[in-house]
Amino acid sequence: SLVMNLPLREAIADSSRRAQAASHRYGQLLNDGDRRMLVQAFHRAESLARHALVDALDQVSEQYLAALKAQLADEDRHVDVFATWQQEAPPAVPAPRRKQRKEHVWFALLLANEVAGFCQFEMLSALLVDKTQQQQLQDIIRDETEHITRLARWLRPYRELPSFADVKRIAGRFNGDLEGRMQQFLPRQELAGFRREMGAVIRTLLEAAFGLD
């Protein structure tokens, strides 16, 4: 198991509470169509996270490969879970064009995805009533917590280096895109408050994980 530095562990626990509280506040606004849309959006987001990992595995040094391969196995499982939650098999999400990136840039991009995913899974866990789905989601949340901790640890040495400017830029861009990201999960105008609150939860955890707080 991974040793988590205390501030990050506290930030993760706090984000979990805040995401669930937002769901309890706004959950009654969601209709069946919203819930279907949520599951589709999670399937797409996890598929894209998986594609990013596949590309990263080709471009990072050997010492990171075993952990990232384990993370890829987790992502495969997550994609499958959200596929089975849908009435009919969803179409495969095509891989974006492959890009060459430096190691720390990959770590930052993967970490941003994991942070957003974790917060959104906590949001979803408070909306679910099905016990089997609840259990599957708890397993996913545990995976994401481990991924966040590990990637944050890998990024830590870069904080003292000039290349940390790249990491800050990625965090800034990701923060700027949060409204659009949440729109894919909760598109209806009536859910704008829910989107805003979830964006704030993700932003806070992102800053803690990246060491920007």
Side-chain angles (χ1 to χ4, degrees):
S1 76
L2 297 164
V3 179
M4 233 189 276
N5 67 337
L6 200 59
L8 180 54
R9 191 166 66 211
E10 287 171 353
I12 287 172
D14 184 55
S15 301
S16 162
R17 280 191 298 272
R18 287 173 62 205
Q20 291 191 25
S23 281
H24 289 135
R25 262 195 300 284
Y26 291 98
Q28 73 279 9
L29 298 178
L30 268 65
N31 58 36
D32 288 346
D34 295 328
R35 287 169 181 271
R36 271 197 304 278
M37 179 78 78
L38 260 183
V39 174
Q40 287 166 8
F42 275 110
H43 177 263
R44 184 170 183 279
E46 288 300 280
S47 298
L48 289 170
R50 190 195 170 282
H51 288 318
L53 254 179
V54 169
D55 288 354
L57 272 162
D58 279 346
Q59 295 176 35
V60 300
S61 44
E62 189 143 344
Q63 72 199 84
Y64 301 109
L65 291 183
L68 287 181
K69 279 179 182 160
Q71 188 167 327
L72 183 60
D74 291 341
E75 295 297 349
D76 282 338
R77 217 172 49 250
H78 303 174
V79 172
D80 288 346
V81 164
F82 289 111
T84 62
W85 286 13
Q86 298 183 55
Q87 248 102 36
E88 45 203 59
V93 177
R97 198 166 53 83
R98 177 167 285 217
K99 288 187 178 151
Q100 288 295 127
R101 295 183 167 110
K102 295 193 175 82
E103 209 161 67
H104 65 287
V105 172
W106 274 120
F107 296 159
L109 289 168
L110 294 173
L111 179 56
N113 278 336
E114 294 290 322
V115 162
F118 169 83
C119 295
Q120 290 165 311
F121 292 133
E122 289 285 13
M123 167 192 91
L124 183 60
S125 78
L127 297 171
L128 287 176
V129 288
D130 183 293
K131 289 281 179 279
T132 307
Q133 291 185 341
Q134 225 357 313
Q135 187 50 60
Q136 288 175 313
L137 200 56
Q138 288 314 310
D139 293 342
I140 291 176
I141 286 169
R142 203 165 37 247
D143 292 340
E144 301 285 286
T145 304
E146 191 174 304
H147 303 164
I148 289 170
T149 311
R150 185 165 51 223
L151 288 160
R153 193 176 68 232
W154 290 351
L155 267 185
R156 211 165 292 134
Y158 288 97
R159 288 182 196 175
E160 311 307 319
L161 302 175
S163 53
F164 198 64
D166 298 329
V167 174
K168 284 181 161 167
R169 204 163 34 246
I170 289 161
R173 196 164 59 232
F174 196 84
N175 276 337
D177 292 342
L178 277 174
E179 177 63 30
R181 181 187 176 100
M182 288 312 305
Q183 195 115 29
Q184 291 170 34
F185 287 81
L186 302 161
R188 276 196 310 127
Q189 185 46 43
E190 289 87 335
L191 303 172
F194 197 4
R195 286 199 296 272
R196 263 195 309 278
E197 262 191 61
M198 281 307 303
V201 174
I202 294 168
R203 198 168 287 119
T204 307
L205 184 54
L206 196 73
E207 286 171 0
F210 276 62
L212 302 173
D213 50 349

